[in-house]
Amino acid sequence: MTRRIFRSICLVAISVFAASVALFLLVLYDYFGGVQQRQLQMQTELAAHAVANEGIAYFDGLNSEQYRITWIDADGAIIYDNWSDSTQMENHLEREEIKEALLTGTGESSRYSTTLLERALYSAQRLPDGSVIRLAVSQHTLLMLFLGMMQPLCIIIVIAGALSLALASRLAKKIVEPLNALDLENPLSNDGYDEISPLLHRIDSQQRQIKWQSEELALKQKEFETVTENMTEGIILLNIKGEVIGINRSAKRLFGADASCIGRHILTVNRSPQIAELFSGAEAGRRTEKMLDIASGRYQLILSPVRNDAALSGAVLLVIDVTEKAKAEQMRREFTANVSHELKTPLHTIAGSAELLANNMVKEDDKMAFYARIQSETQRMIHLVEDIIRLSHLDEGASDLKREPVDIFALAAKTVESLLPEADQARVDISLTGSEAIIEGIPQLLQSIIYNLCDNAIKYNRAGGSVAVSVKTQKEDGTVQLSVADTGIGIPSQYQERIFERFYRVDKSRSKELGGTGLGLAIVKHAARLHNAKIELKSVENAGTTITIIFPG
């Protein structure tokens, strides 16, 4: 801006100076031309008066180099000329000044030379005898005047130019200085030019609007980041080119990416065919879903196009962890198959036994054995159905069961006492140690946990073995630990992670022989989960198993 002002001032100064010089020369030329013309008229009058009195004798000894004096007869013939031979000169009757003098008594005219560098001024006056006396003088033209003044003009131009440059530079800086000193953070506090006051008010208004919009945008950005960063689902924002413009923490963790992926194509983050197909669908403006296995999990990928006024501007990739859902569906299918299988076996046994009895195909002495088998299989089905109902109830959250303070030690004592006949029959010694331990819980579910753990410890023990039930409260954190340890057959390490699954049995033949439904530990797992309890399992094959339930304090 300073340069533009500087150039403008210089241009104005030069233009004004050039115009002033031209005007000055024009006025000066016109003024001196008028003076010279008047002097020529006066000299013509004097010469005419002298010639009229003295005649040709007036020119004797006359030496005039400045003025050209010509005496012309009334018929235009030259009588006398002080610069040329009168006999060689042409007739002057047609000359403008001569014609005017013969007509009016005086005449004037001017003519330029062939080079246009000089102009001749003529003044003529008619004498009493009818002849005309004419004086002429040479005058430089305006061009010659300019050329003659070139040297002083150049000096003046140089001085004026230098002065103009200095003043223009200083003036430009002085004009711009208040503008450079403007405090745009506080526009209304400036004492600048009145002409920029509307601009400062506009800037102040826009700054307040921008500040408000920035605060709103920052708040929305913070809210968006807070929501997305704390989501378990992964979110990736893509532009129209498929480049990542935003990614939350969950997506970074799932794809093993970091902040450097911003600005890179999505296929550089994950090159799986599913994502390539998803992006192809988004380019066509379609919402696309795919399943992708990442590490040990299964994830659902949903890519939705984002439109701005019907134009595709980007896409949002949502990554949902469906591992548990997939496992639940798998477990549900297995559960249905297992239930069908578990119910089919006793039903076939009951149906077969009943058919033999109905057709009198059983000896009288063997009928009691068939009746006992029917009763046993019926009881097994009843236990199985009860366990399925109980487990389904736990799946639904058991919201109808009330929580109350429960003494785990007292509850364990009752359970152990109820299992003493079963332990004696299996020749297993069962004992309880510990002290009072109160927790907030559901008595029915807590009793189910203790019963199933102790029942399994007795069933899968060996003759002469033992079951040790322990209840204690940890002083450090106030947690209550229920521990059931046996000296039974133990659980091989490869099966330990699955024993809490429904209908899962390590030794299927022995489990059925003992009347197990395969749902006991699944019930324990769900009941413990409803109490926010943690399950710990320690087992050594052919050495025994210890299961500990840790209830929060």
Side-chain angles (χ1 to χ4, degrees), residues 480-499:
V480 174
Q481 294 186 359
L482 167 66
S483 177
V484 178
D486 64 60
T487 58
I489 60 176
I491 304 170
S493 58
Q494 64 268 30
Y495 302 130
Q496 291 181 10
E497 291 184 358
R498 301 193 60 186
I499 63 169

Side-chain angles (χ1 to χ4, degrees), residues 130-142:
S131 62
V132 177
I133 190 74
R134 186 191 70 177
L135 269 68
V137 66
S138 295
Q139 182 187 34
H140 292 302
T141 61
L142 188 60

